[in-house]
Amino acid sequence: MTAVPRPSVRAATLKDAAHIATVHIRSWQAAYRGLLPQDYLDTLDIPRRTESWKRALRSTDWSKGGVVVAVPGPDVLGFAGYGPARDEGDDCCAVGEIRQIYLLPEAWGKGLGQRLMSTALIRLASAGYTQATLWALATNTRARHFYEKNGWAPDGTTRSSEMSGFQVDQLRYRKEMS
């Protein structure tokens, strides 16, 4: 097992877009292997995802949310995105949402996910949110275990949607901000 230097966690910048896209895709390809169709995972495109991240980072309203990255130097090992809850019925002024949290597979299990999650939750609390939610793929037991170990609990809300021709079932998790 290769040691990963203790990274700092900082706000993402436009210069991080390609690194975030790489983390996003490599994480999906590893974490969702066997959970999503392999042909879909094989077609994920870093240049296209980079452009999507550039647009997202340009339009971020940092007073309401943002993206943080874990960086031990010039490389991004992981990221977390957060902001107001987007679910109908949640008070977007009181409920924040962890929208993404992904790490390069070689960085899994080293405490970086907890650092990213803690930073995103601190930033949500600083913005006045009293609760946070996140969505998890119902079959992603690894992620669900991580969330539950860190104080998140399913709140009974589920959703099912079609994504690129296949069905995706998700569970919503909720956590009180402390």
Side-chain angles (χ1 to χ4, degrees):
M1 184 182 289
T2 305
V4 175
R6 184 163 171 83
S8 63
V9 175
R10 62 164 174 77
T13 69
L14 194 55
K15 292 178 185 177
D16 296 319
H19 294 289
I20 292 170
T22 300
V23 169
H24 203 171
I25 287 176
R26 287 195 50 220
S27 179
W28 269 53
Q29 289 172 330
Y32 298 147
R33 185 175 314 280
L35 304 179
L36 297 179
Q38 191 60 44
D39 59 335
Y40 170 77
L41 295 172
D42 290 343
T43 61
L44 295 175
D45 182 71
I46 291 173
R48 190 171 326 133
R49 188 65 53 101
T50 297
E51 290 307 310
S52 175
W53 274 108
K54 283 180 182 177
R55 284 190 301 277
L57 291 169
R58 277 189 201 107
S59 65
T60 297
D61 178 352
W62 294 96
S63 67
K64 295 182 180 180
V67 179
V68 291
V69 291
V71 290
D75 299 323
V76 172
L77 296 178
F79 71 95
Y82 59 94
R86 298 172 288 181
D87 296 323
E88 190 174 310
D90 271 333
D91 177 352
C92 65
C93 294
V95 183
E97 180 180 354
I98 301 295
R99 296 176 178 181
Q100 309 100 355
I101 183 165
Y102 294 108
L103 293 165
L104 289 174
E106 57 268 25
W108 292 353
K110 296 178 173 39
L112 300 178
Q114 289 179 332
R115 292 207 48 221
L116 284 166
M117 179 69 76
S118 294
T119 301
L121 288 172
I122 288 167
R123 289 179 180 221
L124 285 171
S126 295
Y129 299 106
T130 57
Q131 293 182 22
T133 61
L134 61 78
W135 287 93
L137 190 64
T139 55
N140 190 346
T141 55
R142 178 185 177 88
R144 293 180 59 200
H145 175 74
F146 169 77
Y147 301 140
E148 291 166 14
K149 182 177 138 190
N150 285 282
W152 293 84
D155 70 2
T157 304
T158 62
R159 69 181 177 192
S160 192
S161 58
E162 186 173 313
M163 185 171 117
S164 298
F166 57 90
Q167 198 69 24
V168 176
D169 297 318
Q170 296 178 304
L171 306 172
R172 187 171 67 187
Y173 279 73
R174 187 174 295 269
K175 181 174 184 156
E176 295 293 323
M177 305 293 263
S178 47

